[in-house]
C-alpha cells in the first residue's frame, strides 16, 4: 500500500486484521520503502479458515474488505 507519510504501520496492520477477524489469523509488515511515490508499506496476511476451504470468490471478497479497511486510513493499493 502507498500510505500517508504520517500513518503508523501498526495502524494499517490493525485495520487490515480487523477487516475479517474470523479468517485473518495474523498480519505483519514485511517491507517499508520511502520512495518518490510516497511511503510504501507491504504486509503479509495469514488466513486460517476453520469451517471450510476458501474458493476464489471468498478470497476476492476478503481482498476487497482488506483494501477498503486500508483506504479508510488514506492508503491506496500499490500496483
Amino acid at each position: 500500500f502507498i500510505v500517508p507519510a504520517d500513518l503508523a504501520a501498526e495502524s494499517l496492520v490493525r485495520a487490515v486484521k480487523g477487516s475479517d477477524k474470523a479468517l485473518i489469523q495474523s498480519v505483519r509488515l514485511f517491507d517499508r520503502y520511502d520512495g518518490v511515490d510516497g511511503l510504501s508499506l507491504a504486509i503479509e496476511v495469514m488466513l486460517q479458515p476453520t469451517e471450510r476451504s476458501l474458493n476464489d470468490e471468498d478470497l476476492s471478497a476478503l481482498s476487497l474488505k482488506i483494501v477498503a479497511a486500508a483506504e479508510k486510513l488514506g492508503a491506496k493499493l500499490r500496483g
Side-chain angles (χ1 to χ4, degrees), residues 2-72:
I2 303 294
V3 301
D6 61 343
L7 180 68
E10 183 58 32
S11 296
L12 179 64
V13 168
R14 275 195 314 268
V16 168
K17 191 168 186 176
S19 66
D20 193 323
K21 293 179 183 177
L23 289 178
I24 298 175
Q25 179 184 24
S26 65
V27 179
R28 77 172 183 95
L29 177 72
F30 71 86
D31 190 32
R32 175 189 167 101
Y33 177 73
D34 198 358
V36 177
D37 295 332
L39 179 60
S40 174
L41 300 177
I43 57 171
E44 173 187 64
V45 179
M46 294 284 288
L47 306 178
Q48 185 65 48
T50 57
E51 296 177 11
R52 62 184 174 85
S53 296
L54 301 176
N55 60 33
D56 288 343
E57 292 168 1
D58 297 327
L59 294 173
S60 180
L62 180 58
S63 293
L64 291 174
K65 283 184 183 180
I66 290 170
V67 171
E71 286 176 343
K72 288 180 183 177

